[in-house]
Amino acid sequence: MMLFTLILLPLIGGVIACWSQRVHQDAPKWVTCLCLLLSLAFLTSLKFGTNIDASNLWLVDETLAWIPRLNISAHLAMDGLSFVLILLTLLMGLVGLSSAWNEISQHTGFFYGNYLWTLAGIIGVFLAMDLLLFFVFWEVMLVPMYFLIAIWGNENRRYAALKFFLFTQTGGLLMLLSIIALAVIHYQQTQILSFDYQILVQSPIESEFAKWICLGFIIAFIVKLPAFPFHSWLPDAHTQAPTPASIILAAVLLKTGGYGLLRFVLPLFPDASQFWSPLMMGLAGVSIIYGAMMAFSQTDLKRLVAYSSVSHMGFVLLGCFSLNFYALQGAVMQMLAHGISTAALFMLVGLIQHKFHTRDLNQVRGLWNTLPKLSAMGLFFGVASLGMPGLGNFIAELLVLIGTFKQAPMFALVATSGLILAAVYSLRMIQKSFFGVSVNSDENIKTETENSNKLDSQTAHPPKQVITDLNTKEKITLMLMCLALILMGLHPQPIFNLVNGSLMEIALLFQTPFQAPLQPEIQLLEVQL
C-alpha cells in the first residue's frame, strides 16, 4: 500500500485544506505545505529507506483488485523514471506553494484543495500500470486544474480554462478509444483480456490497426506535451492562469505527455513507432522553430515563456522519436531541466506582475536598477533557458541532438537552429526587461509613492506600498532551483543512474544489429569534475 499512500496523501490533504479554511484563513496553505513535505519525505523513504532489490527494474510494484470481471486491476508501480518525475512534481509543488503564499487570498481552502488534487492526479499518472487506471488519473488531474484557471485566473480566464479542457479532453477520449481497441485486439491474438501494461508489453499486437491505435495514443500525448499543431491552448492557459497554476502546468503537467510517449507508445508499439517516427520528428522540428519565433514576437512575458515551452518541449518529442538511447536520456533530462527553469521564470513573471501590475515588456524595463536581486535571478534562468553550458538544459539538448544526429542528421540540423533562436529571444527578454532605461527608477517610484501618499492622506486612504525586491522565502526558493540546475549540468550521472534501466529497455527495442552495443557508451556521459 506504499504507492497508494503516496497518492492518498495529497488527496486527503486537499480535503483537509478545504475544511481548514473554517478554522483560519491561512490554515489551508500550512496544510498544503505540511502535506507536500510529508509526501516528499515518504517518497524519499521509499527509494532510500526500504530494502529494494537492485536487480529489479521496478522499485515498488503493488496490485489491488478493481474490476475482476474485466481483469482490470489497480496496478501501481514505480521505477527510476517514475521516481524522478514524482520528485519533480513534489518539489515544483512546493515552488508553486511559495508563489501562491501571498498571491491567493480568496477562497483559499478550495484553491489549495484543487492544487493538491491536481498533484495527486499527476502522481497517479506517473504510477499507474493499468491503462484504464492511467486514463482515470489522466482525467482526474484535468478537472481541478480547470477550476484553478477558471476561478483564480485573469480577465479571460473562463475562455482559457474551457479551451484547455476541450483540447485535453478530446485527446483523452481519443486515448480511451485507443486503449479499448488495444485490449480487444490483444484479446483476439492471445485470448487474454487485460489492460495491464506489463502483460500488454510482452506481446505487442501484430495488426494493421496497430499504427492507427498508436497514432491515437501519440495525439493524446502530444496535445498535452504540447507540440505543433496541438499547442494553441497553452499560451492562453498560461496567460490567464494564476502563477501557481502556471508553475504546475509548465513544470509538471506538460511532462505527462512526454512520460506517456516513453512509457506506453514506444514499448507497446515498437513497429508503429518506427513508422510514425519521421512524421513526429518533423513535427518536433516545426515545434522547435515555430515556438522560438513566436516567443521572439511576444511582448507579454507570460506568453513569451509559454511559447518558449512549445520550443523546448519539441526537443522532448524529438528525443522520444529519435529511437536512440542518447536521445532518450536527453528527453528525460529536458523534462527535468525545463521543469525547473520554466517554473522559475513563471515565478519571476508572477512577481513582476504582482509588483507592477503588468507583464508588458514595453512597460517593464530597466528592472536591474529597481530590483537587482530579482533581475539577477531572471538573468540566470534566462541564460539557463537558452542552453548555457554547465547547466541542466545544455546537457539535455546536447544529448537529444547527439542521439538524433546518429539516427537522422537532417532533423538534428533543423533542431540546432532552435538553439540559435532560443538565444535570440532569451537575450531580447533579458535586455528589454532588466537593462536599458528604467521606467520604474528609484526616483520615479519614490516620487510617485510620495505623491500617492500625499493624495492618499488627503483622501483618508492608506498609503500605497513601496516596491520591494525579493524577500527571504523567494530568495531561498529561487537559489535552490539555481543549485539544482547547476548540479544537473555539472554532475548529471546520478539522474542517469536512476533512469538508465528504464530507457535501456526501450532503446533495445529499436537497436539494429549494425549498431554498437549501448552499455559501454553510457560511461561516456559521466562528467569528470
Side-chain angles (χ1 to χ4, degrees):
M1 291 293 289
M2 290 185 291
L3 297 182
F4 289 94
T5 304
L6 195 58
I7 299 173
L8 287 174
L9 278 173
L11 276 178
I12 297 173
V15 176
I16 297 174
C18 280
W19 173 82
S20 65
Q21 189 181 357
R22 300 179 181 181
V23 178
H24 191 276
Q25 182 70 16
D26 292 337
K29 65 178 72 170
W30 288 106
V31 171
T32 304
C33 182
L34 181 64
C35 179
L36 290 175
L37 290 175
L38 193 60
S39 301
L40 193 59
F42 188 72
L43 175 69
T44 309
S45 71
L46 284 181
K47 176 67 177 71
F48 301 105
T50 55
N51 294 322
I52 297 173
D53 185 2
S55 62
N56 193 351
L57 176 66
W58 300 97
L59 303 174
V60 187
D61 194 328
E62 298 174 346
T63 304
L64 290 177
W66 184 20
I67 310 176
R69 189 172 183 179
L70 297 177
N71 201 21
I72 301 173
S73 61
H75 184 186
L76 302 179
M78 182 172 71
D79 60 354
L81 179 61
S82 304
F83 173 79
V84 295
L85 289 173
I86 295 172
L87 184 64
L88 177 73
T89 302
L90 294 175
L91 291 176
M92 292 305 105
L94 287 170
V95 172
L97 174 64
S98 172
S99 177
W101 202 268
N102 297 322
E103 181 177 334
I104 304 301
S105 57
Q106 294 183 338
H107 311 295
T108 55
F110 193 51
F111 174 85
Y112 287 105
N114 279 287
Y115 189 76
L116 286 173
W117 292 331
T118 302
L119 296 179
I122 295 171
I123 293 172
V125 164
F126 291 142
L127 292 176
M129 287 293 110
D130 187 280
L131 288 180
L132 280 183
L133 184 64
F134 176 83
F135 174 76
V136 170
F137 284 121
W138 187 266
E139 296 297 306
V140 165
M141 68 181 177
L142 300 182
V143 178
M145 177 57 75
Y146 169 84
F147 286 125
L148 289 178
I149 299 173
I151 298 177
W152 290 273
N154 296 317
E155 59 276 6
N156 293 322
R157 56 187 180 275
R158 291 187 177 84
Y159 166 76
L162 184 61
K163 192 174 182 180
F164 159 76
F165 192 79
L166 288 177
F167 265 79
T168 51
Q169 187 68 8
T170 303
L173 290 175
L174 189 58
M175 181 169 65
L176 178 61
L177 293 175
S178 301
I179 290 172
I180 294 172
L182 173 64
V184 169
I185 294 178
H186 184 268
Y187 174 76
Q188 291 174 345
Q189 286 187 185
T190 63
Q191 303 304 309
I192 300 173
L193 178 61
S194 178
F195 295 87
D196 193 285
Y197 166 82
Q198 293 179 350
I199 293 176
L200 294 172
V201 78
Q202 291 175 6
S203 53
I205 59 174
E206 299 173 354
S207 169
E208 283 297 316
F209 292 106
K211 59 185 176 186
W212 301 111
I213 298 173
C214 176
L215 184 62
F217 277 99
I218 289 174
I219 292 176
F221 292 135
I222 66 175
V223 166
K224 190 64 68 64
L225 197 59
F228 180 88
F230 306 104
H231 66 283
S232 65
W233 62 270
L234 184 70
D236 291 327
H238 273 310
T239 306
Q240 301 303 324
T243 303
S246 287
I247 290 173
I248 294 301
L249 194 62
V252 188
L253 205 68
L254 306 187
K255 310 306 178 290
T256 57
Y259 172 80
L261 294 174
L262 290 172
R263 174 67 75 208
F264 295 107
V265 172
L266 300 184
L268 290 175
F269 307 97
D271 295 334
S273 297
Q274 286 183 317
F275 176 82
W276 293 115
S277 175
L279 175 62
M280 292 302 118
M281 286 198 288
L283 286 182
V286 173
S287 297
I288 291 169
I289 295 175
Y290 171 81
M293 293 179 68
M294 290 300 293
F296 178 78
S297 65
Q298 302 301 312
T299 56
D300 186 315
L301 278 169
K302 266 196 170 183
R303 291 186 76 85
L304 190 156
V305 180
Y307 275 111
S308 74
S309 293
V310 175
S311 180
H312 290 304
M313 296 310 287
F315 280 95
V316 175
L317 183 62
L318 185 65
C320 290
F321 280 95
S322 293
L323 309 179
N324 175 278
F325 185 71
Y326 282 160
L328 292 174
Q329 283 185 316
V332 174
M333 184 62 82
Q334 178 75 343
M335 288 196 283
L336 300 176
H338 174 267
I340 296 172
S341 62
T342 306
L345 286 173
F346 274 118
M347 183 176 175
L348 290 169
V349 173
L351 290 172
I352 291 172
Q353 183 180 7
H354 182 71
K355 295 175 189 299
F356 298 104
H357 306 289
T358 181
R359 305 185 303 260
D360 193 334
L361 269 176
N362 297 320
Q363 298 181 34
V364 181
R365 288 182 282 118
L367 290 180
W368 198 285
N369 296 324
T370 311
L371 305 171
K373 296 172 185 173
L374 184 148
S375 302
M377 289 296 175
L379 179 62
F380 176 87
F381 289 109
V383 168
S385 181
L386 66 84
M388 178 63 70
L391 301 176
N393 306 65
F394 172 76
I395 295 290
E397 292 172 359
L398 179 66
L399 285 172
V400 170
L401 291 176
I402 291 174
T404 305
F405 191 80
K406 289 169 70 73
Q407 302 297 105
M410 284 304 297
F411 288 110
L413 291 175
V414 171
T416 304
S417 63
L419 298 180
I420 301 170
L421 294 173
V424 172
Y425 70 72
S426 296
L427 292 176
R428 171 179 174 267
M429 178 189 71
I430 292 169
Q431 194 276 330
K432 292 200 72 168
S433 56
F434 303 133
F435 301 103
V437 178
S438 173
V439 295
N440 300 291
S441 64
D442 291 339
E443 293 183 359
N444 290 340
I445 291 172
K446 185 177 179 181
T447 305
E448 290 176 2
T449 304
E450 289 175 351
N451 293 337
S452 175
N453 290 345
K454 287 178 183 177
L455 182 62
D456 288 337
S457 63
Q458 293 170 2
T459 57
H461 289 302
K464 292 183 179 178
Q465 186 178 3
V466 176
I467 295 174
T468 57
D469 210 338
L470 298 178
N471 60 34
T472 303
K473 172 175 63 66
E474 292 159 352
K475 277 190 291 187
I476 292 174
T477 303
L478 290 166
M479 289 180 71
L480 289 175
M481 297 170 81
C482 291
L483 182 62
L485 284 179
I486 293 171
L487 284 176
M488 291 169 66
L490 296 180
H491 189 52
Q493 196 60 35
I495 295 175
F496 292 143
N497 290 340
L498 283 170
V499 303
N500 273 352
S502 305
L503 300 183
M504 184 70 73
E505 293 284 324
I506 301 171
L508 288 174
L509 295 171
F510 305 99
Q511 188 178 23
T512 65
F514 303 101
Q515 286 182 296
L518 294 169
Q519 187 62 39
E521 296 180 346
I522 301 171
Q523 304 303 323
L524 297 176
L525 301 178
E526 175 70 45
V527 177
Q528 300 295 331
L529 297 176

